[in-house]
Amino acid sequence: MNQNYQLTLQEVLGRPTFQHAYIAAGKEGLQRLVRWVHIIEVIQFEQLLQGGEMILTTGAAFKSDTDLFMTYLEQLINKNVSCLCIEMGHYLSSVPQEWIQAAESYQFPLIIFPQAVRFIDITQDIHAHIINQHHKALQDLEKISREFHRMTLSSQGVSHVLGLLQSSTKAQVIYVPLNGQPKFIPHLGSRESGQWLEFLESRLVESPNNGNTAAPSVMEVEGQTVIVQPVGAMGKTWAHIILVFSRKPQEYEYLILDSASLSIAQDLLRKRYIEERKLYSQTLWVDDLLHLRIRDEEQIKVLIGTEFKRLNELPYHVILIEFEHEQAEGENTEEEGVESSGIHLSLAVRSVFEQHSFHPLITLKNNRLVVVAFDKATKKRPSKERLQQVFQSIQYLKAEDEIKLIIGVGQSNRSFLQAHISYQEALQAISLAPTLQGKVLFFDELGVFQLLFHIPDKQILQSFVRTYLGPIIDHDQMKGSELLRTLKVYLDTDGSKQIAAQQLFIVRQSLYYRLEKIEELLGADYMLPEKRLALQVGIRAYQLLNPEIKM
């Protein structure tokens, strides 16, 4: 890699436009970087600078006034500019020794043009050089990025990427995977490598990444600059790349590190996709378990192996995650596309569940993931609280992919042979998503719906609904009114007219009119406890029978 993508002051002095200039003070600063050239002929200018500029002046702002020059110089030093170039001529015929000594005391480069020069020639020359260097840096970065990508297609992709990263930056490269052996390029002795690993472990514990698999952290260690770049995806860090520089790294080298980490992340993601597909094929038996096609513990022991006893004693929830991709016109909607989306979702789901101390068994059924989530942390925070965090994380991760998720959760259970019960509960919960308009539905929060699900004869429910709500339903159908919805909101708000009117987005007078009509149809006693309870149950039964109707 060409290290000279940035221009130093010493290199500037070697350019033709500076052939007659000389440095009067601050020779120690010749390695300062010149990021831009600026002409300043006013005395107050701090807000105009960002640092790293070469400043050109004729001295018009301070002329021969030492106090004004010191004010001018202090601003330059405070803004960390590269140097000051003064042209001798109309405003200045010489530079006082006092000015030179002041610049020298700060090791601030002061360059003198003994005769008039064309500032426009200087700015055009240096700016063109800087822009050309930036362009070359981008070309080289693109070339290296393509090479990183090509390398990840080989069996030793990660090792080859790390080797190119080291040769491109000349830094010590340390690769620490979450699972696996660390790599040191170039190789370090056991003592030195052990010291680095111990140091990095302590720093990573002190400064967790909080799921951010993009931003590097930078620290100074005994005169060395250490950059720690997390590598991962889907909110999980799978490895860290560490670069150790004996100098201050360039911005270009941060970009190379970012490109290398992205290539390695893609390689790791590809391998995890293959592993997930393999796990998916290994857990197809879960569907048989949930549908009671497996009823023998011995058969489950054979399928699970040594983990059977531990998992069989842990509490678990069966969870259904229904996914729907917002597909553009012409996109693949065939079964293969659904399966691919499901396995990608399964990758993210497995990662998030494991982060919250659950052991997930995952299988795919059409456009639904079925997760049997065993709780490994029963002594920590309640499982329901952690499950809610899991679902929030999954919804957040998949929002960028424009995937809509609806989640149904069965109640906690134990023993593999009881899994079909939690599965049926998850099915019932998710079936109410259109009715309750929720994205996450826990069976144990469904209230009276739990009882209604256990009435297999829908004719009984329909008869109950007609008995208590028939006049209201008929009126709505004939008149296009919203009396049933009004009744539901009024009962659900404990008969509060103010709150009911607010939730229905109508004025109080309109609510009074509707309530009078409801009383006329149902009778004046409809708010008495027994009838009120029957009405509320009837409304839930009506919702269960008519999930397409929004209330």
Side-chain angles (χ1 to χ4, degrees):
M1 170 190 143
N2 177 11
Q3 295 285 351
N4 298 319
Y5 290 118
Q6 294 176 308
L7 190 62
T8 66
L9 182 55
Q10 186 168 15
E11 290 170 328
V12 169
L13 290 176
R15 301 191 69 79
T17 51
F18 281 78
Q19 61 180 327
H20 300 299
Y22 67 92
I23 183 162
K27 292 182 180 180
E28 295 83 355
L30 288 177
Q31 294 307 310
R32 292 187 178 197
L33 298 177
V34 177
R35 302 184 186 277
W36 207 242
V37 182
H38 205 33
I39 301 169
I40 294 183
E41 301 287 20
V42 294
I43 199 65
Q44 296 294 336
F45 52 79
E46 279 188 297
Q47 70 277 11
L48 302 177
L49 301 177
Q50 294 182 338
E53 296 92 347
M54 167 180 276
I55 303 301
L56 306 178
T57 183
T58 62
F62 44 82
K63 301 182 179 66
S64 298
D65 190 319
T66 296
D67 290 339
L68 287 178
F69 174 79
M70 293 304 176
T71 299
Y72 190 97
L73 181 66
E74 286 175 6
Q75 291 178 84
L76 298 180
I77 293 169
N78 289 338
K79 296 302 290 187
N80 195 32
V81 303
S82 296
C83 66
L84 173 63
C85 303
I86 304 177
E87 177 195 75
M88 300 295 100
H90 181 71
Y91 296 104
L92 286 170
S93 58
S94 64
V95 176
Q97 190 63 31
E98 187 178 356
W99 297 8
I100 295 174
Q101 290 174 350
E104 187 66 40
S105 67
Y106 288 105
Q107 297 184 356
F108 181 76
L110 180 61
I111 297 169
I112 307 299
F113 289 105
Q115 58 193 40
V117 292
R118 283 165 52 91
F119 282 176
I120 190 171
D121 292 340
I122 295 173
T123 55
Q124 285 182 339
D125 175 59
I126 295 178
H127 288 169
H129 181 81
I130 291 173
I131 291 170
N132 288 337
Q133 289 296 87
H134 285 179
H135 180 66
K136 187 175 188 312
L138 290 174
Q139 286 181 318
D140 287 352
L141 179 62
E142 183 181 359
K143 180 180 178 181
I144 291 174
S145 296
R146 285 199 304 268
E147 187 64 13
F148 282 149
H149 181 69
R150 187 192 64 77
M151 287 174 168
T152 57
L153 300 177
S154 68
S155 59
Q156 296 295 319
V158 171
S159 296
H160 292 162
V161 168
L162 294 173
L164 180 56
L165 176 63
Q166 195 282 324
S167 63
S168 300
T169 60
K170 307 304 181 189
Q172 173 67 54
V173 176
I174 306 172
Y175 178 70
V176 185
L178 195 63
N179 299 306
Q181 292 298 315
K183 300 178 186 293
F184 294 84
I185 306 172
H187 179 74
L188 295 177
S190 57
R191 180 179 178 183
E192 191 174 359
S193 60
Q195 290 173 340
W196 272 115
L197 291 175
E198 185 178 340
F199 167 78
L200 292 169
E201 184 179 358
S202 65
R203 287 304 178 98
L204 292 175
V205 169
E206 292 172 10
S207 306
N209 188 237
N210 296 325
N212 185 346
T213 52
S217 58
V218 183
M219 57 193 86
E220 298 295 328
V221 182
E222 298 179 355
Q224 296 175 304
T225 301
V226 180
I227 306 174
V228 181
Q229 172 71 55
V231 179
M234 299 181 298
K236 186 171 183 179
T237 298
W238 297 325
H240 288 89
I241 302 175
I242 298 94
L243 296 188
V244 183
F245 290 92
S246 57
R247 54 177 170 79
K248 187 175 180 180
Q250 299 179 20
E251 182 179 353
Y252 175 84
E253 289 161 326
Y254 283 96
L255 295 175
I256 290 181
L257 174 59
D258 182 66
S259 179
S261 67
L262 181 59
S263 294
I264 292 175
Q266 289 172 336
D267 182 67
L268 296 177
L269 182 61
R270 204 161 35 240
K271 290 175 181 175
R272 276 161 175 75
Y273 179 84
I274 295 170
E275 291 171 5
E276 191 66 30
R277 198 176 190 93
K278 182 180 177 182
L279 286 171
Y280 160 63
S281 64
Q282 290 175 347
T283 55
L284 290 175
W285 61 268
V286 172
D287 187 64
D288 292 334
L289 175 70
L290 299 178
H291 289 87
L292 293 177
R293 292 190 289 267
I294 295 178
R295 297 173 178 267
D296 185 359
E297 276 195 356
E298 291 302 319
Q299 190 176 353
I300 301 172
K301 286 180 184 178
V302 172
L303 292 166
I304 292 210
T306 56
E307 287 283 280
F308 171 80
K309 186 175 187 302
R310 182 178 69 90
L311 293 178
N312 200 45
E313 294 173 354
L314 289 178
Y316 62 84
H317 293 263
V318 176
I319 299 153
L320 292 179
I321 304 176
E322 187 174 282
F323 57 93
E324 180 184 350
H325 203 295
E326 295 182 349
Q327 293 167 322
E329 187 176 348
E331 270 192 335
N332 179 22
T333 59
E334 296 178 357
E335 184 178 344
E336 183 180 347
V338 172
E339 181 178 315
S340 179
S341 295
I343 293 175
H344 274 101
L345 176 59
S346 179
L347 263 172
V349 166
R350 186 181 304 280
S351 173
V352 176
F353 270 101
E354 288 173 349
Q355 287 176 42
H356 290 82
S357 301
F358 290 97
H359 177 92
L361 295 178
I362 304 175
T363 190
L364 179 63
K365 188 75 171 176
N366 299 322
N367 67 326
R368 286 177 176 174
L369 284 185
V370 183
V371 184
V372 184
F374 293 88
D375 188 358
K376 299 188 297 182
T378 53
K379 294 182 180 179
K380 293 185 179 179
R381 290 180 296 115
S383 62
K384 189 170 183 179
E385 184 179 332
R386 284 181 287 117
L387 281 175
Q388 288 168 333
Q389 291 183 330
V390 166
F391 301 145
Q392 286 176 1
S393 299
I394 294 171
Q395 295 275 12
Y396 175 77
L397 283 172
K398 290 295 143 185
E400 293 182 356
D401 296 337
E402 296 183 342
I403 294 179
K404 292 182 179 180
L405 301 178
I406 299 174
I407 300 170
V409 187
Q411 295 186 99
S412 178
N413 219 324
R414 291 177 191 263
S415 170
F416 278 100
L417 294 181
Q418 300 300 312
H420 68 282
I421 299 174
S422 187
Y423 173 66
Q424 289 299 320
E425 292 170 346
L427 277 173
Q428 291 167 351
I430 207 169
S431 72
L432 284 174
T435 301
L436 302 181
Q437 298 180 40
K439 292 184 178 179
V440 178
L441 298 103
F442 287 83
F443 183 82
D444 62 10
E445 294 178 357
L446 297 184
V448 74
F449 283 109
Q450 295 183 19
L451 289 175
L452 298 178
F453 278 124
H454 288 284
I455 301 177
D457 188 348
K458 299 307 176 188
Q459 290 294 332
I460 295 174
L461 290 180
Q462 289 173 349
S463 176
F464 186 86
V465 169
R466 290 301 306 171
T467 299
Y468 287 95
L469 296 172
I472 296 285
I473 294 170
D474 293 341
H475 187 279
D476 281 351
Q477 289 175 348
M478 287 188 296
K479 304 289 186 179
S481 57
E482 290 191 341
L483 295 186
L484 185 60
R485 179 168 177 263
T486 301
L487 177 62
K488 178 183 182 300
V489 172
Y490 184 59
L491 295 177
D492 289 350
T493 56
D494 292 326
S496 170
K497 294 180 176 65
Q498 179 181 354
I499 299 174
Q502 290 173 350
Q503 292 190 8
L504 290 165
F505 300 103
I506 59 176
V507 297
R508 193 88 63 91
Q509 199 61 39
S510 296
L511 177 64
Y512 293 158
Y513 171 78
R514 292 186 186 183
L515 293 177
E516 287 175 4
K517 195 63 183 176
I518 289 171
E519 184 176 327
E520 178 186 325
L521 294 169
L522 298 181
D525 62 345
Y526 77 95
M527 286 297 285
L528 293 178
E530 290 302 322
K531 194 165 184 179
R532 175 179 172 178
L533 179 60
L535 288 171
Q536 288 183 299
V537 173
I539 290 170
R540 267 59 180 181
Y542 180 80
Q543 289 181 287
L544 187 63
L545 294 169
N546 303 276
E548 74 284 355
I549 297 177
K550 307 298 182 188
M551 294 182 61

